[in-house]
Amino acid sequence: MPREDSRPHVLMSWFLDDWGRFGRAYEQVATHLAQSEHIARVLCLLPADWTPMTKWQLPLVVREHREKLSAITLRPHCAPGRVGPYRLRRALNHWLPHRLPVLLSRMLGFSPDNTLLWLFPPHPLAEQLHRSLARRAMVVHVIDNNALVHTKPPEERDRIMSQYRRLAHAADWVYVNSGHNRDTFSSLNRNTYHFSNAVDPAFFGAPRVRSGTVRVGYLGWITERTDVPILEHIAAARPEWQMLIAAPATLQAREKLRVLSARRNVIWMTDVEQATAPGFLASLDVCLMPHLDCAYSKSMHPLKLLQYLASGRPVITTGVAGVEQWVEHLRIAADGPGFVRAIEEAAVNDTPTAAHRRMEAVWGETWDVRVRAMLEPIVAGWAEQMRSRVAAGNEYYRSTGP
């Protein structure tokens, strides 16, 4: 019988079904973990949105599957409501989604001795895996603090913060992406590490020579932090400019962009995938990051900012948390008129030298570099985690023995 691979087998969960969209942080982490000699395998599980069913469907969707990396969406149910008997339908729709993570992990060589659970809360799937999956160690990775989204009801924010606390207390390591989150979570777990977002090398571009219409653009999700009125002001003040927005058509985005997307000089692109996002930025003259300065923004480290800088394009942004390190390469504006003036100045005065400096500023901020740093505490502590697990098991048997 072949010897079990003792290297970490990473079972990761995310809180959206968006593999392949804009190079999200979790996908970059999963991909680069799978490329490391220190990691045996990565299985990334994604939660599917609930949708009404009229016919049978498979309980999972394979998004990607290769030698060391699998990304799988778990559907919440597979039997339609008209299927009988009731007990069979309930067993399929309730038991199967809860057992699938364990079954999949076992099929791929995961065991209690080699599993590294890597959770991105908040989501019920993170809680489910924490409760049901035996493992050697756990990483809790907080990208943005969703408990700070002011548009969520207070009771939902409380539930989110409660999950953060429970998982952080139980984790062997907590990874965060901002100073604000470091301050919050280091009080919950002394093994809290601050790892900022990074950039895919595919975004590194070349200086653009502008000809004709000024093209300004925004790449990313439209959320509570997006200051859409700034974008509306730009489009209205300069109808001769073209504004391109690459953002998924979520319910929130459709509501927030309803007025803006109706303008003749605005193009809303909802189908920009990770592979085509660098080309989208390369087509722009100026990149925009109009974020609101709120508690939620303070918990973030903007991924798009690094992508913008790597493209070499001039960047106009509000003065929110996360921009301090790059401020010499940015133009800071506070409102719509300020953005218009900054865009005009950039369109006239930006140079190839300035573009190269922006790219050079983030040369060392790639995901390969960042994930190697994330692995250092894990590799250093992996053997110790095994000793701790064995000691805990011995204590359990002593306490329950005859």
Side-chain angles (χ1 to χ4, degrees):
M1 185 172 181
R3 185 177 179 181
E4 180 182 286
D5 192 336
S6 63
R7 292 177 299 167
H9 289 55
V10 178
L11 197 154
M12 180 179 291
S13 79
W14 180 243
F15 47 79
L16 290 171
D17 183 16
D18 59 356
W19 186 268
R21 303 291 289 178
F22 303 116
R24 297 285 287 242
Y26 81 96
E27 184 175 345
Q28 295 290 343
V29 173
T31 300
H32 285 83
L33 285 173
Q35 294 170 359
S36 170
E37 63 180 10
H38 298 294
I39 298 298
R41 181 161 197 90
V42 178
L43 171 60
C44 187
L45 300 180
L46 312 170
D49 293 333
W50 191 94
T51 53
M53 291 178 57
T54 58
K55 58 183 179 180
W56 288 87
Q57 64 180 11
L58 292 174
L60 56 82
V61 180
V62 178
R63 301 298 182 190
E64 186 164 341
H65 182 69
R66 42 195 164 102
E67 184 181 1
K68 289 178 61 179
L69 174 64
S70 302
I72 295 174
T73 298
L74 302 175
R75 284 180 169 148
H77 48 195
C78 58
R82 66 175 185 274
V83 171
Y86 167 77
R87 287 184 178 180
L88 173 62
R89 184 174 75 245
R90 186 180 185 279
L92 289 172
N93 287 339
H94 179 76
W95 180 87
L96 194 56
H98 285 80
R99 294 299 299 168
L100 261 180
V102 176
L103 296 173
L104 287 169
S105 62
R106 287 179 179 173
M107 289 170 57
L108 293 172
F110 288 68
S111 76
D113 290 333
N114 66 23
T115 296
L116 173 60
L117 191 57
W118 196 304
L119 304 178
F120 286 90
H123 196 275
L125 179 58
E127 197 86 58
Q128 174 190 330
L129 294 174
H130 167 53
R131 291 196 309 264
S132 65
L133 204 73
R135 72 272 183 174
R136 182 161 164 178
M138 181 168 73
V139 173
V140 169
H141 198 154
V142 180
I143 295 295
D144 306 325
N145 190 335
N146 284 265
L148 299 176
V149 179
H150 73 278
T151 56
K152 294 182 183 295
E155 58 273 17
E156 183 178 354
R157 297 202 301 270
D158 290 342
R159 283 197 301 270
I160 290 171
M161 197 63 224
S162 178
Q163 185 182 94
Y164 280 147
R165 290 193 188 100
R166 285 194 302 273
L167 295 179
H169 279 304
D172 298 279
W173 302 280
V174 174
Y175 291 173
V176 298
N177 74 326
S178 68
H180 185 280
N181 285 340
R182 180 194 59 224
D183 295 342
T184 299
F185 287 90
S186 59
S187 64
L188 303 174
N189 190 309
R190 61 187 179 87
N191 290 325
T192 296
Y193 295 83
H194 179 188
F195 296 111
S196 301
N197 277 323
V199 64
D200 186 332
F203 282 91
F204 285 101
R208 174 177 168 83
V209 178
R210 186 175 66 83
S211 59
T213 303
V214 174
R215 291 163 61 91
V216 301
Y218 176 91
L219 172 68
W221 294 70
I222 302 296
T223 67
E224 294 82 359
R225 69 173 176 178
T226 313
D227 197 335
V228 174
I230 288 181
L231 298 175
E232 291 174 339
H233 179 91
I234 295 168
R238 294 294 182 269
E240 70 276 17
W241 292 352
Q242 188 175 54
M243 177 178 289
L244 293 90
I245 298 173
T250 62
L251 287 174
Q252 185 172 198
R254 286 197 289 269
E255 175 59 29
K256 285 180 172 288
L257 297 180
R258 182 174 52 82
V259 174
L260 180 63
S261 61
R263 299 194 64 88
R264 296 182 61 183
N265 62 329
V266 175
I267 299 176
W268 181 13
M269 306 164 69
T270 63
D271 58 350
V272 176
E273 301 289 332
Q274 176 184 341
T276 57
F280 170 78
L281 295 185
S283 73
L284 303 177
D285 295 306
V286 179
C287 295
L288 308 177
M289 198 175 84
H291 286 180
L292 291 165
D293 187 10
C294 59
Y296 184 41
S297 291
K298 287 181 172 64
S299 77
M300 298 176 169
H301 183 266
L303 177 62
K304 67 171 60 61
L305 178 57
L306 298 174
Q307 295 169 339
Y308 286 176
L309 290 169
S311 75
R313 302 298 173 265
V315 182
I316 319 298
T317 178
T318 46
V320 292
V323 306
E324 304 87 354
Q325 183 178 354
W326 321 106
V327 68
E328 64 180 292
H329 304 290
L330 308 172
R331 290 173 170 83
I332 308 294
D335 53 21
F339 265 71
V340 171
R341 290 192 296 271
I343 294 168
E344 290 173 334
E345 197 276 332
V348 173
N349 297 323
D350 196 60
T351 65
T353 299
H356 282 296
R357 286 175 179 163
R358 286 189 287 270
M359 289 184 278
E360 289 170 358
V362 292
W363 281 137
E365 304 294 332
T366 62
W367 281 111
D368 179 62
V369 172
R370 193 73 77 245
V371 173
R372 277 194 276 116
M374 291 179 185
L375 274 172
E376 289 178 2
I378 296 168
V379 172
W382 191 242
E384 183 61 35
Q385 292 306 124
M386 185 59 185
R387 286 192 290 271
S388 298
R389 189 175 184 279
V390 170
N394 290 339
E395 180 62 30
Y396 171 80
Y397 284 114
R398 281 196 296 270
S399 65
T400 58

